[in-house]
Amino acid sequence: MSVHDIVDLRSDTLTLPTPEMREAMARAEVGDDVWEEDPTVKRLEAMAAERLGKAAGLFVASGTMGNLVSVVSHTRAGQEVVLDLDSHIFNYEVAGSAVIGHVQMHPVKTARGFLTPDQVREALRPSNIHLPPTGLVCVENTHNRHGGTCCTPEEIAAVAEIAHGAGVPVHLDGARLFNAAVALRREAREFARPADSVTFCVSKGLAAPVGSVVCGSVEFIARARRTRKMVGGGMRQAGVIAAAGIVALERMVDRLAEDHANARRLAEGLAKLPGLAVDLATVQTNIVIVRVERPGGPAASAAATGELVAGCAARKVKVHAMGPAAIRCVTHKDVDAEDIRRTLEAFAELTRRW
Ligand code: TLP
């Protein structure tokens, strides 16, 4: 029997805080963090920086805020940011970097969500009076829209070498960096080493209710702290939420392997059903993207996608439509093996007569 009434696979952001997190939150020692006097926030920042091998950390409200603060702190108005076409920063951050930072995005189409060194070399602008100077290169790991794919520390290093050779810094959107670390059995700091700044989220698979941490050099984090204040992210007794982030880092990283195993089981089951396609090579972590390929062309597939999402919801399984003919399922600590079985059963029932 599943312990969950509803199986919610829409995102790992839906994870609920653990009892230990609630306890830590209730007991957290706090102060005013804008005055840099919250000991719990400082502890989370120091712990995060240490895990990522950086000199300093900055607690921010969300992954979006971490990326915004990083982009704005690295660049000046009129510069260009080179990044993958499917990246979260380009697609899902409400053009914040353009609105607040006055930078232009230079998106590049990639195969697995990761820029190659050659693509970076090609995208960097030469010095020419007509051109916007390149101010930053961004990398995303794991990659959300490509289905939780991971790149290796060596791949990030190869890209950073080109960027740094041109005097351009690198930001890593590591919202799910610990998923990549667990999947590839590498240390988080290995991925962080080539990057000048890294954002990771405690609010996704690590199950804290709120927050992300930006890590980088002392000088960069001082700038980022000012930018965070500018965007309204200076929080006061934020130790109440940072306390859960500490538990997330201490206790929730290793268990991500369970989420990956559940995602794999789900992906393999879905791939066998009629009219559904899953590229199993992309299922490296906790995200499964299912393409709906119903005979009758794109319109039939789009209609079938809506029917599947609604049909799953009617069976108490929540999944997320991603684009016109794809569904995203994300595993996390509030989804167990029995929930995966229920999900496969729902999809099997709905596709039986396809
Ligand atoms: N992604 C969310 C949605 O915004 C799509 C999700 O449910 O997956 N970088 C990456 C790679 C992300 O996937 C996300 C969140 C963020 C940044 C932003 O983090 P938040 O939601 O904390 O602002």
mmCIF file of all heavy atoms in Angstrom, residues 114-158:
data_model
loop_
_atom_site.group_PDB
_atom_site.id
_atom_site.type_symbol
_atom_site.label_atom_id
_atom_site.label_comp_id
_atom_site.label_asym_id
_atom_site.label_seq_id
_atom_site.Cartn_x
_atom_site.Cartn_y
_atom_site.Cartn_z
ATOM 1 N N PHE A 114 24.326 20.816 -23.033
ATOM 2 C CA PHE A 114 25.636 21.313 -22.611
ATOM 3 C C PHE A 114 26.416 21.865 -23.792
ATOM 4 O O PHE A 114 26.589 21.182 -24.804
ATOM 5 C CB PHE A 114 26.429 20.188 -21.933
ATOM 6 C CG PHE A 114 25.636 19.533 -20.832
ATOM 7 C CD1 PHE A 114 25.251 18.206 -20.919
ATOM 8 C CD2 PHE A 114 25.222 20.272 -19.731
ATOM 9 C CE1 PHE A 114 24.482 17.616 -19.918
ATOM 10 C CE2 PHE A 114 24.455 19.693 -18.732
ATOM 11 C CZ PHE A 114 24.084 18.366 -18.823
ATOM 12 N N LEU A 115 26.891 23.094 -23.635
ATOM 13 C CA LEU A 115 27.706 23.719 -24.674
ATOM 14 C C LEU A 115 29.014 22.954 -24.814
ATOM 15 O O LEU A 115 29.590 22.528 -23.806
ATOM 16 C CB LEU A 115 28.046 25.151 -24.245
ATOM 17 C CG LEU A 115 26.883 26.122 -24.063
ATOM 18 C CD1 LEU A 115 27.279 27.248 -23.098
ATOM 19 C CD2 LEU A 115 26.499 26.708 -25.415
ATOM 20 N N THR A 116 29.465 22.793 -26.032
ATOM 21 C CA THR A 116 30.794 22.206 -26.223
ATOM 22 C C THR A 116 31.818 23.360 -26.239
ATOM 23 O O THR A 116 31.447 24.515 -26.492
ATOM 24 C CB THR A 116 30.884 21.452 -27.565
ATOM 25 O OG1 THR A 116 30.703 22.416 -28.616
ATOM 26 C CG2 THR A 116 29.826 20.363 -27.672
ATOM 27 N N PRO A 117 33.087 23.038 -26.016
ATOM 28 C CA PRO A 117 34.101 24.102 -26.079
ATOM 29 C C PRO A 117 34.071 24.833 -27.423
ATOM 30 O O PRO A 117 34.200 26.062 -27.471
ATOM 31 C CB PRO A 117 35.415 23.338 -25.879
ATOM 32 C CG PRO A 117 35.027 22.128 -25.091
ATOM 33 C CD PRO A 117 33.656 21.752 -25.559
ATOM 34 N N ASP A 118 33.849 24.088 -28.510
ATOM 35 C CA ASP A 118 33.798 24.732 -29.834
ATOM 36 C C ASP A 118 32.619 25.698 -29.929
ATOM 37 O O ASP A 118 32.733 26.770 -30.517
ATOM 38 C CB ASP A 118 33.666 23.674 -30.946
ATOM 39 C CG ASP A 118 35.003 23.024 -31.265
ATOM 40 O OD1 ASP A 118 36.043 23.590 -30.834
ATOM 41 O OD2 ASP A 118 35.008 21.965 -31.916
ATOM 42 N N GLN A 119 31.497 25.303 -29.369
ATOM 43 C CA GLN A 119 30.329 26.199 -29.406
ATOM 44 C C GLN A 119 30.592 27.466 -28.607
ATOM 45 O O GLN A 119 30.165 28.551 -29.005
ATOM 46 C CB GLN A 119 29.092 25.466 -28.858
ATOM 47 C CG GLN A 119 28.536 24.443 -29.834
ATOM 48 C CD GLN A 119 27.327 23.723 -29.261
ATOM 49 O OE1 GLN A 119 27.351 23.245 -28.122
ATOM 50 N NE2 GLN A 119 26.272 23.638 -30.042
ATOM 51 N N VAL A 120 31.292 27.333 -27.491
ATOM 52 C CA VAL A 120 31.608 28.522 -26.693
ATOM 53 C C VAL A 120 32.572 29.415 -27.476
ATOM 54 O O VAL A 120 32.369 30.631 -27.576
ATOM 55 C CB VAL A 120 32.214 28.128 -25.323
ATOM 56 C CG1 VAL A 120 32.669 29.359 -24.551
ATOM 57 C CG2 VAL A 120 31.199 27.334 -24.509
ATOM 58 N N ARG A 121 33.585 28.794 -28.070
ATOM 59 C CA ARG A 121 34.579 29.550 -28.848
ATOM 60 C C ARG A 121 33.884 30.356 -29.942
ATOM 61 O O ARG A 121 34.182 31.526 -30.158
ATOM 62 C CB ARG A 121 35.594 28.575 -29.457
ATOM 63 C CG ARG A 121 36.892 29.210 -29.871
ATOM 64 C CD ARG A 121 37.896 28.208 -30.402
ATOM 65 N NE ARG A 121 38.526 27.384 -29.396
ATOM 66 C CZ ARG A 121 38.385 26.057 -29.299
ATOM 67 N NH1 ARG A 121 37.644 25.395 -30.161
ATOM 68 N NH2 ARG A 121 38.985 25.380 -28.348
ATOM 69 N N GLU A 122 32.932 29.714 -30.595
ATOM 70 C CA GLU A 122 32.207 30.361 -31.696
ATOM 71 C C GLU A 122 31.289 31.486 -31.203
ATOM 72 O O GLU A 122 31.091 32.479 -31.883
ATOM 73 C CB GLU A 122 31.338 29.301 -32.376
ATOM 74 C CG GLU A 122 31.309 29.407 -33.880
ATOM 75 C CD GLU A 122 30.630 28.169 -34.447
ATOM 76 O OE1 GLU A 122 31.289 27.112 -34.551
ATOM 77 O OE2 GLU A 122 29.430 28.287 -34.739
ATOM 78 N N ALA A 123 30.734 31.298 -29.995
ATOM 79 C CA ALA A 123 29.764 32.273 -29.494
ATOM 80 C C ALA A 123 30.414 33.494 -28.855
ATOM 81 O O ALA A 123 29.792 34.556 -28.760
ATOM 82 C CB ALA A 123 28.842 31.589 -28.476
ATOM 83 N N LEU A 124 31.667 33.352 -28.405
ATOM 84 C CA LEU A 124 32.347 34.495 -27.782
ATOM 85 C C LEU A 124 32.530 35.593 -28.824
ATOM 86 O O LEU A 124 32.959 35.318 -29.946
ATOM 87 C CB LEU A 124 33.718 34.076 -27.241
ATOM 88 C CG LEU A 124 33.726 33.098 -26.062
ATOM 89 C CD1 LEU A 124 35.158 32.633 -25.787
ATOM 90 C CD2 LEU A 124 33.140 33.741 -24.817
ATOM 91 N N ARG A 125 32.214 36.811 -28.456
ATOM 92 C CA ARG A 125 32.299 37.906 -29.424
ATOM 93 C C ARG A 125 33.722 38.448 -29.526
ATOM 94 O O ARG A 125 34.342 38.739 -28.500
ATOM 95 C CB ARG A 125 31.384 39.048 -28.977
ATOM 96 C CG ARG A 125 29.935 38.646 -28.835
ATOM 97 C CD ARG A 125 29.296 38.455 -30.190
ATOM 98 N NE ARG A 125 27.851 38.400 -30.037
ATOM 99 C CZ ARG A 125 27.017 38.422 -31.057
ATOM 100 N NH1 ARG A 125 27.471 38.487 -32.299
ATOM 101 N NH2 ARG A 125 25.724 38.373 -30.855
ATOM 102 N N PRO A 126 34.195 38.606 -30.759
ATOM 103 C CA PRO A 126 35.499 39.276 -30.903
ATOM 104 C C PRO A 126 35.360 40.768 -30.587
ATOM 105 O O PRO A 126 34.251 41.298 -30.558
ATOM 106 C CB PRO A 126 35.834 39.060 -32.380
ATOM 107 C CG PRO A 126 34.543 38.764 -33.059
ATOM 108 C CD PRO A 126 33.597 38.223 -32.022
ATOM 109 N N SER A 127 36.469 41.398 -30.329
ATOM 110 C CA SER A 127 36.434 42.828 -30.040
ATOM 111 C C SER A 127 36.139 43.575 -31.338
ATOM 112 O O SER A 127 36.924 43.536 -32.277
ATOM 113 C CB SER A 127 37.798 43.229 -29.461
ATOM 114 O OG SER A 127 37.888 44.618 -29.428
ATOM 115 N N ASN A 128 34.987 44.204 -31.395
ATOM 116 C CA ASN A 128 34.547 44.889 -32.620
ATOM 117 C C ASN A 128 33.511 45.908 -32.180
ATOM 118 O O ASN A 128 32.623 45.588 -31.376
ATOM 119 C CB ASN A 128 33.921 43.840 -33.568
ATOM 120 C CG ASN A 128 33.366 44.432 -34.846
ATOM 121 O OD1 ASN A 128 32.656 45.443 -34.826
ATOM 122 N ND2 ASN A 128 33.671 43.805 -35.964
ATOM 123 N N ILE A 129 33.606 47.107 -32.708
ATOM 124 C CA ILE A 129 32.745 48.211 -32.250
ATOM 125 C C ILE A 129 31.246 47.900 -32.406
ATOM 126 O O ILE A 129 30.409 48.435 -31.694
ATOM 127 C CB ILE A 129 33.134 49.533 -32.966
ATOM 128 C CG1 ILE A 129 32.504 50.722 -32.249
ATOM 129 C CG2 ILE A 129 32.740 49.497 -34.442
ATOM 130 C CD1 ILE A 129 33.006 52.059 -32.738
ATOM 131 N N HIS A 130 30.916 46.980 -33.319
ATOM 132 C CA HIS A 130 29.493 46.684 -33.550
ATOM 133 C C HIS A 130 28.898 45.695 -32.559
ATOM 134 O O HIS A 130 27.693 45.550 -32.474
ATOM 135 C CB HIS A 130 29.319 46.066 -34.947
ATOM 136 C CG HIS A 130 29.764 46.951 -36.048
ATOM 137 N ND1 HIS A 130 31.058 46.942 -36.518
ATOM 138 C CD2 HIS A 130 29.105 47.876 -36.762
ATOM 139 C CE1 HIS A 130 31.169 47.836 -37.487
ATOM 140 N NE2 HIS A 130 29.996 48.419 -37.655
ATOM 141 N N LEU A 131 29.768 44.966 -31.871
ATOM 142 C CA LEU A 131 29.290 43.771 -31.168
ATOM 143 C C LEU A 131 29.133 43.968 -29.667
ATOM 144 O O LEU A 131 29.923 44.690 -29.056
ATOM 145 C CB LEU A 131 30.271 42.615 -31.416
ATOM 146 C CG LEU A 131 30.554 42.288 -32.886
ATOM 147 C CD1 LEU A 131 31.632 41.214 -32.991
ATOM 148 C CD2 LEU A 131 29.284 41.828 -33.594
ATOM 149 N N PRO A 132 28.144 43.292 -29.077
ATOM 150 C CA PRO A 132 28.043 43.321 -27.612
ATOM 151 C C PRO A 132 29.161 42.466 -27.027
ATOM 152 O O PRO A 132 29.337 41.325 -27.447
ATOM 153 C CB PRO A 132 26.678 42.682 -27.342
ATOM 154 C CG PRO A 132 26.400 41.829 -28.536
ATOM 155 C CD PRO A 132 27.107 42.454 -29.705
ATOM 156 N N PRO A 133 29.916 42.980 -26.075
ATOM 157 C CA PRO A 133 30.974 42.139 -25.488
ATOM 158 C C PRO A 133 30.368 40.995 -24.683
ATOM 159 O O PRO A 133 29.342 41.170 -24.030
ATOM 160 C CB PRO A 133 31.737 43.092 -24.560
ATOM 161 C CG PRO A 133 31.075 44.404 -24.632
ATOM 162 C CD PRO A 133 29.863 44.330 -25.493
ATOM 163 N N THR A 134 31.016 39.823 -24.753
ATOM 164 C CA THR A 134 30.537 38.685 -23.967
ATOM 165 C C THR A 134 30.914 38.919 -22.505
ATOM 166 O O THR A 134 32.073 39.199 -22.194
ATOM 167 C CB THR A 134 31.188 37.382 -24.462
ATOM 168 O OG1 THR A 134 30.991 37.291 -25.875
ATOM 169 C CG2 THR A 134 30.571 36.167 -23.771
ATOM 170 N N GLY A 135 29.932 38.784 -21.621
ATOM 171 C CA GLY A 135 30.194 39.043 -20.205
ATOM 172 C C GLY A 135 30.176 37.805 -19.332
ATOM 173 O O GLY A 135 30.672 37.815 -18.204
ATOM 174 N N LEU A 136 29.562 36.710 -19.847
ATOM 175 C CA LEU A 136 29.391 35.533 -18.990
ATOM 176 C C LEU A 136 29.016 34.330 -19.846
ATOM 177 O O LEU A 136 28.335 34.463 -20.863
ATOM 178 C CB LEU A 136 28.260 35.812 -17.977
ATOM 179 C CG LEU A 136 27.935 34.737 -16.938
ATOM 180 C CD1 LEU A 136 29.100 34.554 -15.967
ATOM 181 C CD2 LEU A 136 26.682 35.110 -16.149
ATOM 182 N N VAL A 137 29.453 33.155 -19.389
ATOM 183 C CA VAL A 137 28.986 31.888 -19.967
ATOM 184 C C VAL A 137 28.280 31.127 -18.841
ATOM 185 O O VAL A 137 28.791 31.062 -17.716
ATOM 186 C CB VAL A 137 30.163 31.046 -20.528
ATOM 187 C CG1 VAL A 137 29.695 29.656 -20.932
ATOM 188 C CG2 VAL A 137 30.811 31.764 -21.720
ATOM 189 N N CYS A 138 27.091 30.590 -19.130
ATOM 190 C CA CYS A 138 26.355 29.818 -18.114
ATOM 191 C C CYS A 138 26.224 28.355 -18.515
ATOM 192 O O CYS A 138 26.029 28.045 -19.691
ATOM 193 C CB CYS A 138 24.946 30.379 -17.913
ATOM 194 S SG CYS A 138 24.938 32.028 -17.208
ATOM 195 N N VAL A 139 26.312 27.494 -17.530
ATOM 196 C CA VAL A 139 26.163 26.048 -17.718
ATOM 197 C C VAL A 139 25.098 25.575 -16.727
ATOM 198 O O VAL A 139 25.007 26.122 -15.626
ATOM 199 C CB VAL A 139 27.505 25.328 -17.389
ATOM 200 C CG1 VAL A 139 27.396 23.831 -17.598
ATOM 201 C CG2 VAL A 139 28.649 25.904 -18.204
ATOM 202 N N GLU A 140 24.302 24.576 -17.104
ATOM 203 C CA GLU A 140 23.268 24.052 -16.196
ATOM 204 C C GLU A 140 23.492 22.555 -15.960
ATOM 205 O O GLU A 140 23.588 21.784 -16.916
ATOM 206 C CB GLU A 140 21.900 24.280 -16.851
ATOM 207 C CG GLU A 140 20.710 23.809 -16.039
ATOM 208 C CD GLU A 140 19.393 24.202 -16.714
ATOM 209 O OE1 GLU A 140 19.253 25.348 -17.210
ATOM 210 O OE2 GLU A 140 18.483 23.346 -16.764
ATOM 211 N N ASN A 141 23.576 22.151 -14.701
ATOM 212 C CA ASN A 141 23.846 20.741 -14.380
ATOM 213 C C ASN A 141 23.184 20.384 -13.044
ATOM 214 O O ASN A 141 23.514 20.983 -12.036
ATOM 215 C CB ASN A 141 25.361 20.526 -14.282
ATOM 216 C CG ASN A 141 25.760 19.065 -14.419
ATOM 217 O OD1 ASN A 141 24.996 18.263 -14.952
ATOM 218 N ND2 ASN A 141 26.932 18.724 -13.946
ATOM 219 N N THR A 142 22.230 19.415 -12.989
ATOM 220 C CA THR A 142 21.730 18.674 -14.116
ATOM 221 C C THR A 142 20.879 19.578 -15.010
ATOM 222 O O THR A 142 20.456 20.646 -14.567
ATOM 223 C CB THR A 142 20.865 17.462 -13.665
ATOM 224 O OG1 THR A 142 19.652 17.950 -13.037
ATOM 225 C CG2 THR A 142 21.607 16.610 -12.669
ATOM 226 N N HIS A 143 20.604 19.087 -16.221
ATOM 227 C CA HIS A 143 19.854 19.920 -17.144
ATOM 228 C C HIS A 143 18.373 19.571 -17.098
ATOM 229 O O HIS A 143 17.966 18.455 -17.403
ATOM 230 C CB HIS A 143 20.399 19.751 -18.564
ATOM 231 C CG HIS A 143 19.992 20.887 -19.452
ATOM 232 N ND1 HIS A 143 18.691 21.082 -19.840
ATOM 233 C CD2 HIS A 143 20.699 21.912 -19.963
ATOM 234 C CE1 HIS A 143 18.625 22.179 -20.585
ATOM 235 N NE2 HIS A 143 19.829 22.698 -20.671
ATOM 236 N N ASN A 144 17.576 20.568 -16.735
ATOM 237 C CA ASN A 144 16.137 20.353 -16.530
ATOM 238 C C ASN A 144 15.412 19.938 -17.808
ATOM 239 O O ASN A 144 14.864 18.844 -17.909
ATOM 240 C CB ASN A 144 15.560 21.647 -15.935
ATOM 241 C CG ASN A 144 14.091 21.533 -15.581
ATOM 242 O OD1 ASN A 144 13.395 20.627 -16.030
ATOM 243 N ND2 ASN A 144 13.604 22.453 -14.785
ATOM 244 N N ARG A 145 15.428 20.807 -18.813
ATOM 245 C CA ARG A 145 14.634 20.542 -20.031
ATOM 246 C C ARG A 145 15.129 19.343 -20.834
ATOM 247 O O ARG A 145 14.385 18.787 -21.638
ATOM 248 C CB ARG A 145 14.621 21.781 -20.931
ATOM 249 C CG ARG A 145 13.331 22.584 -20.801
ATOM 250 C CD ARG A 145 13.481 23.888 -21.515
ATOM 251 N NE ARG A 145 13.212 23.770 -22.940
ATOM 252 C CZ ARG A 145 12.032 24.012 -23.498
ATOM 253 N NH1 ARG A 145 11.014 24.360 -22.760
ATOM 254 N NH2 ARG A 145 11.879 23.921 -24.794
ATOM 255 N N HIS A 146 16.374 18.976 -20.635
ATOM 256 C CA HIS A 146 16.875 17.787 -21.337
ATOM 257 C C HIS A 146 16.664 16.520 -20.513
ATOM 258 O O HIS A 146 17.178 15.458 -20.854
ATOM 259 C CB HIS A 146 18.347 17.959 -21.741
ATOM 260 C CG HIS A 146 18.489 18.763 -23.000
ATOM 261 N ND1 HIS A 146 18.658 18.192 -24.237
ATOM 262 C CD2 HIS A 146 18.424 20.101 -23.213
ATOM 263 C CE1 HIS A 146 18.715 19.143 -25.164
ATOM 264 N NE2 HIS A 146 18.578 20.312 -24.563
ATOM 265 N N GLY A 147 15.946 16.648 -19.396
ATOM 266 C CA GLY A 147 15.551 15.450 -18.653
ATOM 267 C C GLY A 147 16.513 15.025 -17.576
ATOM 268 O O GLY A 147 16.693 13.827 -17.344
ATOM 269 N N GLY A 148 17.133 15.988 -16.902
ATOM 270 C CA GLY A 148 18.006 15.639 -15.776
ATOM 271 C C GLY A 148 19.335 15.062 -16.210
ATOM 272 O O GLY A 148 19.980 14.333 -15.451
ATOM 273 N N THR A 149 19.767 15.391 -17.411
ATOM 274 C CA THR A 149 21.063 14.905 -17.904
ATOM 275 C C THR A 149 22.207 15.561 -17.115
ATOM 276 O O THR A 149 22.073 16.679 -16.616
ATOM 277 C CB THR A 149 21.229 15.241 -19.402
ATOM 278 O OG1 THR A 149 20.771 16.582 -19.613
ATOM 279 C CG2 THR A 149 20.432 14.297 -20.273
ATOM 280 N N CYS A 150 23.317 14.836 -17.044
ATOM 281 C CA CYS A 150 24.475 15.358 -16.287
ATOM 282 C C CYS A 150 25.644 15.600 -17.225
ATOM 283 O O CYS A 150 25.890 14.796 -18.123
ATOM 284 C CB CYS A 150 24.998 14.334 -15.294
ATOM 285 S SG CYS A 150 23.783 13.576 -14.260
ATOM 286 N N CYS A 151 26.402 16.632 -16.966
ATOM 287 C CA CYS A 151 27.707 16.743 -17.618
ATOM 288 C C CYS A 151 28.769 16.518 -16.550
ATOM 289 O O CYS A 151 28.504 16.654 -15.355
ATOM 290 C CB CYS A 151 27.881 18.069 -18.346
ATOM 291 S SG CYS A 151 27.957 19.516 -17.307
ATOM 292 N N THR A 152 29.951 16.158 -16.973
ATOM 293 C CA THR A 152 31.024 15.824 -16.029
ATOM 294 C C THR A 152 31.795 17.088 -15.634
ATOM 295 O O THR A 152 31.747 18.105 -16.340
ATOM 296 C CB THR A 152 32.030 14.852 -16.692
ATOM 297 O OG1 THR A 152 32.621 15.532 -17.814
ATOM 298 C CG2 THR A 152 31.352 13.568 -17.154
ATOM 299 N N PRO A 153 32.537 17.008 -14.546
ATOM 300 C CA PRO A 153 33.395 18.140 -14.182
ATOM 301 C C PRO A 153 34.373 18.481 -15.314
ATOM 302 O O PRO A 153 34.664 19.653 -15.549
ATOM 303 C CB PRO A 153 34.156 17.620 -12.949
ATOM 304 C CG PRO A 153 33.254 16.595 -12.350
ATOM 305 C CD PRO A 153 32.552 15.943 -13.512
ATOM 306 N N GLU A 154 34.814 17.449 -16.039
ATOM 307 C CA GLU A 154 35.784 17.688 -17.118
ATOM 308 C C GLU A 154 35.132 18.485 -18.251
ATOM 309 O O GLU A 154 35.766 19.344 -18.869
ATOM 310 C CB GLU A 154 36.322 16.357 -17.666
ATOM 311 C CG GLU A 154 37.248 15.618 -16.720
ATOM 312 C CD GLU A 154 36.546 14.998 -15.496
ATOM 313 O OE1 GLU A 154 35.326 14.712 -15.588
ATOM 314 O OE2 GLU A 154 37.197 14.818 -14.457
ATOM 315 N N GLU A 155 33.845 18.179 -18.529
ATOM 316 C CA GLU A 155 33.154 18.945 -19.581
ATOM 317 C C GLU A 155 33.013 20.417 -19.184
ATOM 318 O O GLU A 155 33.150 21.318 -20.015
ATOM 319 C CB GLU A 155 31.770 18.334 -19.863
ATOM 320 C CG GLU A 155 31.841 17.027 -20.647
ATOM 321 C CD GLU A 155 30.475 16.392 -20.824
ATOM 322 O OE1 GLU A 155 29.955 15.793 -19.861
ATOM 323 O OE2 GLU A 155 29.919 16.496 -21.934
ATOM 324 N N ILE A 156 32.707 20.651 -17.913
ATOM 325 C CA ILE A 156 32.585 22.046 -17.453
ATOM 326 C C ILE A 156 33.960 22.726 -17.534
ATOM 327 O O ILE A 156 34.073 23.870 -17.974
ATOM 328 C CB ILE A 156 32.022 22.104 -16.012
ATOM 329 C CG1 ILE A 156 30.641 21.447 -15.955
ATOM 330 C CG2 ILE A 156 31.938 23.558 -15.526
ATOM 331 C CD1 ILE A 156 30.036 21.351 -14.558
ATOM 332 N N ALA A 157 34.995 21.982 -17.138
ATOM 333 C CA ALA A 157 36.346 22.554 -17.161
ATOM 334 C C ALA A 157 36.764 22.934 -18.585
ATOM 335 O O ALA A 157 37.385 23.977 -18.805
ATOM 336 C CB ALA A 157 37.348 21.569 -16.558
ATOM 337 N N ALA A 158 36.376 22.095 -19.559
ATOM 338 C CA ALA A 158 36.762 22.363 -20.950
ATOM 339 C C ALA A 158 36.086 23.638 -21.466
ATOM 340 O O ALA A 158 36.704 24.442 -22.187
ATOM 341 C CB ALA A 158 36.390 21.164 -21.824
#
